[in-house]
Amino acid sequence: MKMLTLIFFILLTSSTHISATELVFSSGNNKLTGHYLNNLNPDPPKGVILFVHGDGDLSYDAEGYYSIIWDQLRKHGYSIFSWDKSGVGHSSGHWLSQSMQDRQLEVISAIELIQKKYGFTPENTGLLGFSQAGWVVPKLAGSSKRIGFAIGIGFTQNWIDQGRYYTRIKHERRGDSEQQIQAAIEQYNDEIASFNSSPMYSKQFAKNGMSRERFAFVLRNYQSDAADDYQKISIPMLLLWGENDLNVDAGKEFIRWTKNPNKNVTIKLIANATHVLLKSEYFDGQHISFYQWLKLNWLQQDALAPEFLPVLLDWLDIHVNSDR
């Protein structure tokens, strides 16, 4: 009974918490449904921040996670735009049919819509991307003249390396022996080798838990590497990683940036934080389980690592609202 009461409370508060304007835009053959949220103070917006999803079938608010971040950004003077991924909610198509280039074009279409409708300029238009958006946002931060700043959370340079790290951590957390872990990594390496010869979908991939649609998605994108894009970033950009990230080798990524800096990029490793900068003592998995989703919606901003929002808001004050 207590669980049902909690779920009812969360659904009630989440459905009444956000007042947004629904907007529809096109990208390629897809119609995407998004939501625009104005800033929460009487002054004109300082800017608009477009949220760019990571992996998975995510709704515009990432099932409530984004709204925790939006509250503080909106109070700080920023408007928000985010949309249901292709094939989610009222958005057409399917996100597994997309390449990273498709996703980049989708973001550009969203930017054009918001700038035309609300009068934002490139200087006060920014992106905030998560995880897989690390092969979307950096490209635009170096090649697009439509944005003035960008933020990345849990980005990694190389798709294949990230998959290998994820595989190791997954099996370590299962309690597998080192021999079993090495066998799993060898299987992963074999899959990558087979992708290099452009394979057809087979029972082996199905046996390993990969659907035909996921197989096509990975085959389309597994060679993604952001190294060149990183060096071409030409606008202020903030990169954040959680110290206890179980999906991305955050320490390695942070060190890589200290050795290969870009003067436009600020980097920060957030203490006691997960892949998406939640408190790692409360959220200790590679995915958010239903129980953790309940916890997230119950804790709200207290679910976030303490450093996260102060670091983000301070950086915005310095790099977006100063004369550059």
Side-chain angles (χ1 to χ4, degrees), residues 203-242:
K203 291 182 180 179
Q204 184 61 39
F205 288 103
K207 181 180 178 181
N208 294 338
M210 186 180 293
S211 69
R212 187 180 297 274
E213 293 76 17
R214 183 74 187 185
F215 168 83
F217 178 75
V218 174
L219 184 60
R220 192 177 294 116
N221 294 296
Y222 80 101
Q223 292 179 311
S224 296
D225 188 293
D228 290 342
D229 297 330
Y230 285 167
Q231 297 308 311
K232 295 176 183 176
I233 292 170
S234 57
I235 58 175
M237 186 164 187
L238 173 66
L239 292 178
L240 302 175
W241 297 272

Side-chain angles (χ1 to χ4, degrees), residues 192-307:
I192 296 301
S194 68
F195 284 137
N196 289 333
S197 60
S198 299
M200 300 294 289
Y201 184 71
S202 67
K203 291 182 180 179
Q204 184 61 39
F205 288 103
K207 181 180 178 181
N208 294 338
M210 186 180 293
S211 69
R212 187 180 297 274
E213 293 76 17
R214 183 74 187 185
F215 168 83
F217 178 75
V218 174
L219 184 60
R220 192 177 294 116
N221 294 296
Y222 80 101
Q223 292 179 311
S224 296
D225 188 293
D228 290 342
D229 297 330
Y230 285 167
Q231 297 308 311
K232 295 176 183 176
I233 292 170
S234 57
I235 58 175
M237 186 164 187
L238 173 66
L239 292 178
L240 302 175
W241 297 272
E243 179 182 63
N244 299 322
D245 195 323
L246 300 175
N247 298 51
V248 164
D249 192 342
K252 180 179 177 181
E253 295 299 323
F254 184 79
I255 291 171
R256 192 202 309 272
W257 271 98
T258 61
K259 293 180 177 179
N260 300 282
N262 177 318
K263 66 179 182 179
N264 297 304
V265 178
T266 303
I267 60 173
K268 176 71 174 177
L269 196 61
I270 302 293
N272 303 314
T274 69
H275 184 52
V276 292
L277 304 185
L278 298 172
K279 290 177 179 175
S280 53
E281 63 264 39
Y282 295 154
F283 303 90
D284 60 352
Q286 290 181 303
H287 298 283
I288 299 292
S289 67
F290 178 68
Y291 172 73
Q292 289 180 330
W293 175 80
L294 292 174
K295 189 189 298 184
L296 170 68
N297 282 274
W298 179 261
L299 291 172
Q300 291 291 305
Q301 192 174 321
D302 286 340
L304 299 173
E307 280 189 292

Side-chain angles (χ1 to χ4, degrees), residues 4 6 26 32 106 113 132 152 157 169 178 186 189 192 217 220 233 241 257 259-260 288 319:
L4 290 175
L6 176 60
S26 298
L32 291 308
E106 184 177 280
L113 167 74
Q132 191 184 92
Q157 176 180 302
I169 299 300
E178 183 60 28
E186 286 177 15
N189 291 337
I192 296 301
F217 178 75
R220 192 177 294 116
I233 292 170
W241 297 272
W257 271 98
K259 293 180 177 179
N260 300 282
I288 299 292
H319 293 277

Side-chain angles (χ1 to χ4, degrees), residues 58-235:
L58 293 169
S59 64
Y60 81 102
D61 66 348
E63 301 6 285
Y65 165 62
Y66 290 168
S67 63
I68 300 171
I69 304 170
W70 293 344
D71 283 346
Q72 292 305 308
L73 287 172
R74 294 173 72 198
K75 289 175 183 176
H76 211 68
Y78 289 90
S79 295
I80 303 293
F81 186 60
S82 186
W83 58 98
D84 296 331
K85 285 185 80 170
S86 180
V88 178
H90 296 294
S91 293
S92 66
H94 201 294
W95 61 275
L96 284 174
S97 299
Q98 293 183 310
S99 65
M100 294 302 106
Q101 291 72 33
D102 293 331
R103 296 200 62 200
Q104 292 160 17
L105 293 173
E106 184 177 280
V107 174
I108 290 171
S109 296
I111 293 168
E112 291 173 344
L113 167 74
I114 292 302
Q115 289 180 343
K116 181 177 180 181
K117 186 170 181 64
Y118 294 103
F120 291 103
T121 65
E123 289 73 24
N124 64 8
T125 300
L127 305 177
L128 196 162
F130 297 83
S131 192
Q132 191 184 92
W135 297 295
V136 178
V137 173
K139 182 73 171 181
L140 299 177
S143 64
S144 176
K145 303 301 182 184
R146 297 175 175 88
I147 57 173
F149 62 97
I151 301 130
I153 294 173
F155 284 6
T156 185
Q157 176 180 302
N158 184 272
W159 180 297
I160 295 172
D161 289 347
Q162 187 270 333
R164 192 175 290 115
Y165 175 81
Y166 183 93
T167 299
R168 166 171 280 281
I169 299 300
K170 179 176 72 174
H171 287 273
E172 283 181 354
R173 291 179 60 77
R174 284 182 182 176
D176 289 352
S177 66
E178 183 60 28
Q179 184 177 4
Q180 290 171 315
I181 293 170
Q182 288 302 319
I185 292 174
E186 286 177 15
Q187 178 181 299
Y188 174 80
N189 291 337
D190 289 343
E191 287 182 356
I192 296 301
S194 68
F195 284 137
N196 289 333
S197 60
S198 299
M200 300 294 289
Y201 184 71
S202 67
K203 291 182 180 179
Q204 184 61 39
F205 288 103
K207 181 180 178 181
N208 294 338
M210 186 180 293
S211 69
R212 187 180 297 274
E213 293 76 17
R214 183 74 187 185
F215 168 83
F217 178 75
V218 174
L219 184 60
R220 192 177 294 116
N221 294 296
Y222 80 101
Q223 292 179 311
S224 296
D225 188 293
D228 290 342
D229 297 330
Y230 285 167
Q231 297 308 311
K232 295 176 183 176
I233 292 170
S234 57
I235 58 175

